Each structure stands twice: as C-alpha cells, then as structure tokens.
Amino acid sequence: MPPDFWERNLWCWVLLLGFTIGSSGDVPPIPQTKCADFQNANLLRGTNLKVQFILFTPSDPSCGQLVEESSDIQNSGFNTTLGTKLVIHGFRALGTKPSWIDKLIGALLRATDANVIAVDWVYGSTAAYFSAVENVVKLGLEISSFLNKLLELGVSESSIHIIGVSLGAHVGGMVGHFHKGQLGRITGLDPAGPEYTRASLEERLDARDALFVEAIHTDTDNWGIRIPVGHVDYFVNGGQDQPGCPAFIHAGYNYVICDHMRAVHLYISALENSCPLMAFPCDNYKAFLAGHCLDCFNPFQLSCPRIGLVERGGVQIEPLPKEVRVYLLTASRAPYCVHHSLVEFHLQEKRLKDTSIKVTFLSGNVSSLVKITIPRQQLQGRAVMAHTSPLCQTNQVKLKFKASNRVWKKDQTVLAGRFCTAPLPVNDNKKMICLPEPVKLQADVTVSHDVNITCV
Ligand SMILES: *[C@@H]1O[C@H](CO)[C@@H](O)[C@H](O)[C@H]1NC(C)=O
Ligand SMILES: *[C@@H]1O[C@H](CO)[C@@H](O)[C@H](O)[C@H]1NC(C)=O
Ligand SMILES: *[C@@H]1O[C@H](CO)[C@@H](O)[C@H](O)[C@H]1NC(C)=O
C-alpha cells in the first residue's frame, strides 16, 4: 500500500465527518406522498438496520411501493414471470439517499421489463464505514429472507439479479452465498476495497456467489477492491483513475468519490446507450495499452464481454472461467464508450535509441492522441488508440516523431516507416489498414494523411 494511502484516507474521514456534521439540523421534512422513498438517517446511526424494500415496476417506474411481507408483494405490481433486479447501495457517509439511485432505477426499467427493488439500508450504512461493514452479514440475512418470500411466490433463483454498489457488492455476495450461488447474476459496481481485499471468499463477493458474477472496477487505489472478484472483472482505464475526475485533493468531496462512483455512471450509461463498453482480456493494463491484447480468443473464444444487461455480458463459453481481468478505455463523459484501435509503426531501419511517435486520429472536430514507443534495436511499436468515433469515420491521421531532448550524434532526426491500424478486436492481420506509402518523419514535424476507410 502506498505510504500516502492512509494519510489520504485519514483526510477523507475528516472531510466526510465534516460534511456529516455540517448537514445536521437543516434537512427539510420528507413530504408525505403515496410513493415510498428512501429514509434519511441524518446523524442517527445504530444497530437497528431499518431495511426497506422499495419496489418499482415497468407500469409505474417513478413511484416506489414498500414491500415487506408476502401479502405486500402479492398486492403490489410485482410480476413473478418477469426477472427481478435488486439494487443495493453502499456506505452512506451523510446518511442520505444515494444521489444516483433514481437514475439507475429509471435506466433499468427503460432497458428491460423487470421488477426493480431498491434496498434502502441508509440507517445501517451511515456514520462510520467500519460499523457499516459490521452490518453486512445481518443485512445479507434480511435480504436473503426477503428473497425467500419471492421464491415461495414462484420466482426462480436464476431470474434474480443483484446490482451492488461498493459495500453493497459484498452484501450481494453474502446474499448469493446464502443462496448457494444459485442466483442468476451479481453485478458489483466498484466493490469496496477497505476491509475486503484480504477477506475470505465467504465474506466478500466472489465468483461462487451466483451463476454469473461481474465487477466493474474504477477506484482500485482507494475505495475499490484491487483483486478480481467475479467471472469477469472490468478494469476501466486500468481501474485506478478515471478521465474527467479531479486529480487533486483540493477538489474536495468530488476528489474523494469521483473515481469510485464512475462505475455507477458507466453502468447507467451502458443501460441508456447502445454504444458498446467492450473490454479485452489481458494480464495487466500496461500490456493492454502496449497492444499485446487485441482480441478475446483466450479465454472467451472470441466473444468479447461488454458492460450492460446482455446475458453473461455476452460471454458464451461453458464452463465460465473465473476472475478474468478485462480492460477497456473510456471517454471522460457519458456515454463514455470509445472505439479501440491498434496502431502500429514499422521502421524501415532499426534505431539506436527508443523511438517515440505521436499518433492523432481526427474525425470531424474530434481528435484523439496516443504515443507509440519503438524500443531501440527493434523495428516495430504498437499502442491502443481510444477514439470516440469508429475507425471508419476517421478522416485524418497525424504522425509526429518526437526527438529526444538531447540529440545524440548517432540519433538521426529523420526516419521512415509504415503506419497501420485496425479496429479491436483484431482477429487476424487481414483487417489491418495501412497508409499506402512509407511515411517519412522529421523530428518534431507533424505529417498529416487523409484516410478514407469504408465502414463494414
Ligand atoms: C407479467 O409480465 C408478462 C410478460 O411481460 C405479461 O405478459 C403479463 O401480463 C404480466 N402480468 C401482469 C399481472 O401484469
Ligand atoms: C463538433 O461538431 C459537432 C457536430 O458537428 C458539434 O455538435 C460540436 O459542438 C463540435 N465540437 C466542438 C468542440 O467544436
Ligand atoms: C471514400 O471512398 C469511397 C469509396 O471508395 C468514395 O465513394 C468516397 O467518395 C470517398 N470519400 C472521400 C471523402 O474521399
């Protein structure tokens, strides 16, 4: 663990505490309506979990109904022939309703015909993270006995999908464990790291907790868990730091949770948009960026997993492998998805030093940039480009050879080579698209090439 971790987190606690105290006393009373809503724990914490199950249905997506007993469920709009999605939030520092929950529920109901049940455990999740952690088993048991009521009404275990955020992901794992791994699916949105990285498989989310377990990792260096916990584990932009999130502590609360909450916003975006958040299996992020992992052959036999509601994330093989790390890049804003392309430069002659070439793709007014490094004494360098438009909508490619600061006597300032690109997944070399002529690059001079790639 980096030395600044504890220091940074200590600072978080102070900050969160400050926010909690600052928000006391001035919370407006909740208006009484016929629709059920989340509780507001404010500074009341405690051993009493006060769990609420709030049902939302396709016929009335914005009005929640409290369901607790079998009779409530039968008298509600719950439809036993549809799938059921359970949303479980995590630690609530401020004791308030999660800001993203309405958006997630709405997006789920628009994307699929299902019963959506929000689990409100704001009371048990507030005040101190460690007391929230202590409540996880108790909450897991309560949710499990609620699910048993659904099963008695004829709901099948495999039609149940738990979506757990942060600590809620481990709650989902606990529930799945109580149901012997027979629930259909668990989606962990940046499963919590603190207290869980070294926890046993029974205590934390893992691949045995459901028929299909997936996790989206966006803050593995802080609030999220850094180890794989599902069948498929998405490490978004490497899993640590997200584009568009503030990198400095001065950004306050947003700095503290922006990376962690990105998993939720990505998931909502995947439900609302058709552009694919597709990912590629690889040993590590560095190897992915260096263009060493270009398809999904191993271990998925060419079906690349994607974030969203597609069954098993689109992975079609049997039996499902476990703890497969998959990588993807994203844009800094919704809809987040990018098109990944391999970019490659082949030198005509080996060079005595590492060669660095900046590649820019232009589609209309949108541009993206990546750097290819060709190691000394080698002929070829690769990288993965993330561009918001498909490769076939790229109309211009710019190349720039970056000369080293100190030009050595033997380091020529001119080079020649061939530039090629291909959209991921690259299944064979036939798909490579190359600039027709060898490119001559002079140090620090940008060369532009118009390209016209047909969309297939
Ligand atoms: C339950 O959902 C099914 C499938 O959409 C539909 O045919 C049926 O009418 C629904 N039942 C009720 C009571 O709404
Ligand atoms: C780029 O072009 C699109 C559509 O042509 C336009 O909506 C957008 O505002 C432009 N962006 C910039 C930064 O000029
Ligand atoms: C690109 O190529 C296609 C087919 O080869 C041609 O019809 C089209 O006009 C070209 N577009 C541009 C912008 O050159």
Side-chain angles (χ1 to χ4, degrees):
M1 197 158 290
D4 69 338
F5 179 89
W6 293 112
E7 199 182 312
R8 185 139 52 112
N9 279 295
L10 188 67
W11 195 89
C12 295
W13 295 121
V14 173
L15 181 85
L16 295 177
L17 197 65
F19 268 74
T20 310
I21 291 164
S23 71
S24 70
D26 47 38
V27 178
I30 303 160
Q32 288 300 312
T33 61
K34 69 180 177 66
C35 301
D37 202 354
F38 271 64
Q39 307 162 93
N40 199 329
N42 206 348
L43 270 185
L44 299 169
R45 68 172 101 170
T47 47
N48 188 352
L49 274 178
K50 284 212 204 177
V51 184
Q52 289 197 144
F53 296 95
I54 310 174
L55 168 70
F56 297 85
T57 61
S59 57
D60 201 355
S62 56
C63 188
Q65 307 165 65
L66 279 186
V67 282
E68 198 182 332
E69 298 306 325
S70 297
S71 56
D72 303 337
I73 302 163
Q74 279 168 313
N75 294 330
S76 71
F78 190 91
N79 186 334
T80 50
T81 62
L82 299 179
T84 300
K85 312 229 171 260
L86 218 66
V87 179
I88 309 175
H89 65 81
F91 172 56
R92 301 299 309 155
L94 315 179
T96 50
K97 173 181 176 176
S99 57
W100 43 265
I101 198 125
D102 290 339
K103 223 178 153 195
L104 177 56
I105 291 165
L108 281 168
L109 286 168
R110 279 189 296 275
T112 180
D113 242 359
N115 309 292
V116 176
I117 296 172
V119 180
D120 165 5
W121 66 294
V122 164
Y123 268 81
S125 66
T126 194
Y129 178 77
F130 300 102
S131 70
V133 168
E134 283 166 12
N135 281 329
V136 162
V137 179
K138 221 167 125 189
L139 175 64
L141 282 169
E142 282 204 30
I143 295 174
S144 177
S145 74
F146 175 79
L147 289 185
N148 284 334
K149 292 171 196 164
L150 298 185
L151 300 180
E152 281 162 20
L153 294 175
V155 169
S156 69
E157 284 188 312
S158 65
S159 72
I160 294 172
H161 176 189
I162 294 179
I163 299 162
V165 177
S166 185
L167 204 49
H170 298 300
V171 176
M174 190 67 69
V175 176
H177 178 67
F178 293 143
H179 288 270
K180 302 192 165 58
Q182 294 306 301
L183 299 183
R185 185 174 191 166
I186 298 176
T187 303
L189 301 179
D190 209 32
E195 298 288 285
Y196 282 96
T197 309
R198 283 176 210 86
S200 69
L201 296 184
E202 285 72 27
E203 289 170 297
R204 65 158 170 86
L205 178 63
D206 79 283
R208 301 177 310 175
D209 291 331
L211 301 179
F212 180 65
V213 179
E214 63 193 335
I216 300 172
H217 301 270
T218 53
D219 191 23
T220 57
D221 58 345
N222 215 331
W223 295 106
I225 199 162
R226 61 176 187 276
I227 55 171
V229 294
H231 293 101
V232 177
D233 285 81
Y234 297 89
F235 287 86
V236 182
N237 298 298
Q240 291 195 358
D241 298 307
Q242 303 306 317
C245 281
F248 299 102
I249 202 159
H250 306 105
Y253 194 60
N254 196 30
Y255 165 82
V256 179
I257 60 160
C258 180
D259 289 336
H260 191 40
M261 284 298 108
R262 179 59 62 86
V264 176
H265 298 296
L266 276 175
Y267 197 70
I268 293 172
S269 181
L271 300 173
E272 288 178 337
N273 297 281
S274 57
C275 63
L277 282 158
M278 185 183 278
F280 305 89
C282 205
D283 286 342
N284 59 66
Y285 188 45
K286 210 175 152 199
F288 173 67
L289 291 180
H292 297 313
C293 305
L294 301 170
D295 64 35
C296 299
F297 184 76
N298 186 20
F300 300 128
Q301 292 172 1
L302 300 183
S303 53
C304 289
R306 49 187 285 191
I307 294 173
L309 285 181
V310 186
E311 197 173 340
R312 290 169 151 210
V315 172
Q316 282 151 15
I317 55 164
E318 196 68 57
L320 272 170
K322 278 184 189 156
E323 296 174 8
V324 183
R325 295 167 178 270
V326 299
Y327 292 85
L328 73 160
L329 297 164
T330 73
S332 57
R333 285 178 292 148
Y336 299 109
C337 34
V338 296
H339 297 265
H340 298 89
S341 299
L342 165 67
V343 291
E344 210 171 69
F345 199 91
H346 306 255
L347 289 173
Q348 276 181 344
E349 280 172 32
K350 286 179 185 163
R351 291 167 42 82
L352 298 171
K353 300 198 64 191
D354 290 356
T355 306
S356 170
I357 297 170
K358 269 166 58 176
V359 182
T360 307
F361 279 6
L362 276 156
S363 301
N365 58 8
V366 185
S367 74
S368 306
L369 186 145
V370 75
K371 193 176 79 178
I372 297 178
T373 302
I374 307 166
R376 57 191 283 273
Q377 298 292 9
Q378 290 189 26
L379 280 174
Q380 182 191 283
R382 283 178 162 187
V384 169
M385 170 74 90
H387 191 44
T388 48
S389 305
L391 183 58
C392 68
Q393 282 169 19
T394 300
N395 11 63
Q396 207 174 51
V397 173
K398 291 183 176 180
L399 301 170
K400 185 171 166 183
F401 159 41
K402 187 89 188 73
S404 54
N405 293 334
R406 282 179 294 156
V407 179
W408 296 64
K409 257 188 202 158
K410 285 182 178 169
D411 186 37
Q412 292 112 344
T413 54
V414 178
L415 58 83
R418 201 167 169 82
F419 173 80
C420 296
T421 181
L424 261 55
V426 182
N427 299 327
D428 57 53
N429 281 341
K430 279 177 203 142
K431 275 198 189 163
M432 292 292 276
I433 299 144
C434 301
L435 290 181
E437 314 267 306
V439 189
K440 279 207 177 66
L441 297 178
Q442 202 182 333
D444 298 322
V445 178
T446 302
V447 172
S448 296
H449 283 267
D450 289 339
V451 290
N452 183 0
I453 303 161
T454 340
C455 293
V456 283

